Amino acid sequence: MKNIIYLDNNATTQLLDEVWQDMIPYFIQNYANASSVYHQMGREANSAIQQARNQVAAALNCSPKEILFNSGATESINTVVKGIFDKYRAKGNHIITASTEHKAVLSCCDQLTKQGAKITYLPVDKDGMIAIDDLKSAITPQTILVCLMAANNETGILSSLIEIANTCEENDTLFFCDATQAIGKINIDLQKIGIDILCLSAHKLHGPKGVGALYIRRKSKPIQITALISGGGQENEFRGGTYNVPAIVGFGKAISIVKPASYKIVQQNRDLLEQVLADIPEIIIHGQGLDRLPNTSYISFKHILASEIMTACPTLALSSGSACVTGSREPSHVLMAMGVSKEYALSAVRFSLSILTSRDEIIHCAQLIKEAVQKIRDQSPVWQLFKAGLID
Ligand code: PLP
């Protein structure tokens, strides 16, 4: 993988060496079960988990008691959406989300529809934003959950979290925020934003795969969620299963290293990429000029399929959108919801950088993309027709 320029960091990131070094002892020397607190090895493993819990809580500015570990954001989303629906049925059956949410949210909602849930999918405008007035008018006395993400995984566009949280608070409705792409890259201070429930995932911030956390606000009236995985009573009976100690330790380390300040240079590199690629005719840089994640650039190239560009650049690790839907040949549901044409949606390539991406890699990537686009268009009859003004 030596010559690969890895620009698919919204799919997953490289484990940092410091993170790996901290994980190793819990594979080999202290392999104890963290619930075996009757012996020293178990107690040490347990305190490593508590330390990681403190590290995650510190990054979010919440209490460690409000953090639960699990396998990642997909599990959190399933737990919250299904578990709230189960517990709050006496209050209502209405959930509000947006058409641009991650597939994990959309598929949970779809599943619940078959069990009698009523789901409102808020539309987004051309900038990928929901209208707060739409949210306000969608909330009814039967609304039990508003589920909206902090940052979109494809476009990087940021939601208006404060306005959403305030609206939910004013209407006494729970707000669950999928912050999987945002944590580490932008500041989310849970003392300042009234998010009730939030999920995050270690592998998006240079930690290991298969571990994540769920924040559940401790309120005077506790939030009720039915556990998705019952078992040996771990996480206060909320999430059964033997603790994955090395992964949790790695998560804590990663979140204590990867901070929004680390993304200043990432943003400069992303902006440089967009500046150089802007020379290419007939491209759209989705979300440019809007509040976006500092590492994400999502670009459509007119009359070229994203797959053609990626095939022409085998040394670049890119994506045509969400990794979970890649290969499906369907245009991005996010771009379609933003009103982008199917043709432009099928030509969208996502470049997602990380704190490990170098300026040289970006310059090289931009060069390769420019050459590839030119070559593909030179050989494309459709492009010739477009240039001759015969088609749009
Ligand atoms: N939510 C968002 C916004 C994501 O980008 C992802 C991963 O792509 C997920 C949820 C799922 O995360 P995990 O891989 O931890 O299950």
Side-chain angles (χ1 to χ4, degrees):
M1 298 294 136
K2 234 181 154 195
N3 298 319
I4 298 284
I5 299 178
Y6 185 81
L7 295 170
D8 195 16
N9 289 283
N10 285 9
T12 199
T13 55
Q14 183 181 340
L15 194 77
L16 293 178
D17 190 50
E18 305 95 293
V19 171
W20 173 232
Q21 292 307 325
D22 276 17
M23 290 170 67
I24 294 171
Y26 294 95
F27 284 113
I28 297 166
Q29 288 135 20
N30 188 350
Y31 43 83
N33 188 319
S35 302
S36 298
V37 287
Y38 342 94
H39 56 75
Q40 197 186 336
M41 275 172 73
R43 282 193 295 276
E44 277 175 13
N46 196 280
S47 63
I49 288 183
Q50 298 322 321
Q51 191 194 331
R53 207 185 297 281
N54 293 341
Q55 288 165 317
V56 173
L60 302 175
N61 196 16
C62 67
S63 160
K65 291 185 181 140
E66 295 172 310
I67 296 297
L68 298 161
F69 289 116
N70 61 18
S71 70
T74 302
E75 183 185 326
S76 291
I77 291 165
N78 273 267
T79 304
V80 175
V81 177
K82 295 174 184 173
I84 294 268
F85 180 68
D86 188 55
K87 281 280 185 200
Y88 288 77
R89 283 207 84 160
K91 183 188 174 208
N93 64 345
H94 182 222
I95 296 173
I96 300 173
T97 186
S99 46
T100 47
E101 288 292 304
H102 190 268
K103 290 281 178 183
V105 170
L106 299 178
S107 62
C108 283
C109 289
D110 189 42
Q111 248 180 296
L112 288 186
T113 310
K114 291 163 196 128
Q115 294 169 35
K118 191 171 164 277
I119 315 286
T120 299
Y121 297 93
L122 296 174
V124 294
D125 62 15
K126 64 173 188 15
D127 293 335
M129 304 293 284
I130 62 149
I132 291 297
D133 283 343
D134 285 349
L135 173 61
K136 284 184 184 156
S137 46
I139 297 176
T140 72
Q142 279 71 47
T143 307
I144 50 174
L145 187 66
V146 170
C147 176
L148 294 168
M149 64 195 347
N152 188 275
N153 46 300
E154 294 187 26
T155 59
I157 292 170
L158 305 182
S159 306
S160 309
L161 286 186
I162 295 178
E163 279 179 282
I164 295 169
N166 290 346
T167 305
C168 291
E169 208 166 333
E170 282 155 21
N171 289 278
D172 195 22
T173 303
L174 291 175
F175 173 29
F176 168 40
C177 179
D178 172 2
T180 309
Q181 292 292 344
I183 302 299
K185 298 177 193 135
I186 60 161
N187 259 319
I188 295 190
D189 182 335
L190 290 171
Q191 298 313 308
K192 295 199 178 132
I193 308 178
I195 295 169
D196 296 303
I197 311 166
L198 172 143
C199 69
L200 64 154
S201 190
H203 74 103
K204 306 290 186 185
L205 43 93
H206 300 279
K209 294 168 184 58
V211 61
L214 185 57
Y215 156 84
I216 304 175
R217 187 183 287 282
R218 287 192 151 210
K219 287 184 149 186
S220 45
K221 194 170 153 221
I223 297 170
Q224 305 275 307
I225 304 177
T226 305
L228 188 70
I229 302 175
S230 334
Q234 290 88 351
E235 298 298 75
N236 289 328
E237 309 277 341
F238 188 71
R239 202 276 184 176
T242 301
Y243 286 106
N244 186 348
V245 183
I248 292 172
V249 167
F251 184 11
K253 178 73 170 193
I255 205 166
S256 66
I257 298 175
V258 179
K259 302 270 179 216
S262 333
Y263 279 85
K264 284 216 171 88
I265 292 174
V266 180
Q267 178 156 359
Q268 285 168 13
N269 285 334
R270 191 273 312 270
D271 292 348
L272 173 68
L273 175 74
E274 293 185 346
Q275 206 183 313
V276 179
L277 294 185
D279 289 349
I280 302 175
E282 304 294 336
I283 66 166
I284 301 176
I285 303 177
H286 302 286
Q288 196 179 31
L290 303 173
D291 277 344
R292 261 186 310 165
L293 290 176
N295 77 318
T296 306
S297 184
Y298 202 24
I299 306 182
S300 289
F301 301 83
K302 193 174 177 76
H303 288 314
I304 306 185
L305 288 172
S307 55
E308 291 180 279
I309 296 181
M310 292 191 288
T311 310
C313 301
T315 55
L316 299 180
L318 300 168
S319 162
S320 59
S322 158
C324 313
V325 294
T326 302
S328 67
R329 274 181 159 249
E330 284 299 306
S332 146
H333 72 285
V334 176
L335 293 180
M336 296 298 281
M338 288 164 66
V340 173
S341 70
K342 187 171 177 186
E343 192 221 320
Y344 264 122
L346 283 168
S347 78
V349 178
R350 183 184 68 186
F351 304 79
S352 52
L353 289 63
S354 87
I355 55 171
L356 301 175
T357 310
S358 70
R359 186 183 154 88
D360 282 353
E361 285 181 310
I362 287 303
I363 292 168
H364 191 44
C365 162
Q367 194 54 40
L368 290 174
I369 293 287
K370 277 174 119 173
E371 285 166 13
V373 169
Q374 168 121 37
K375 198 166 163 201
I376 295 165
R377 283 180 172 166
D378 283 351
Q379 293 168 358
S380 156
V382 177
W383 183 252
Q384 305 313 326
L385 289 173
F386 169 74
K387 289 256 305 214
L390 297 171
I391 58 167
D392 278 344

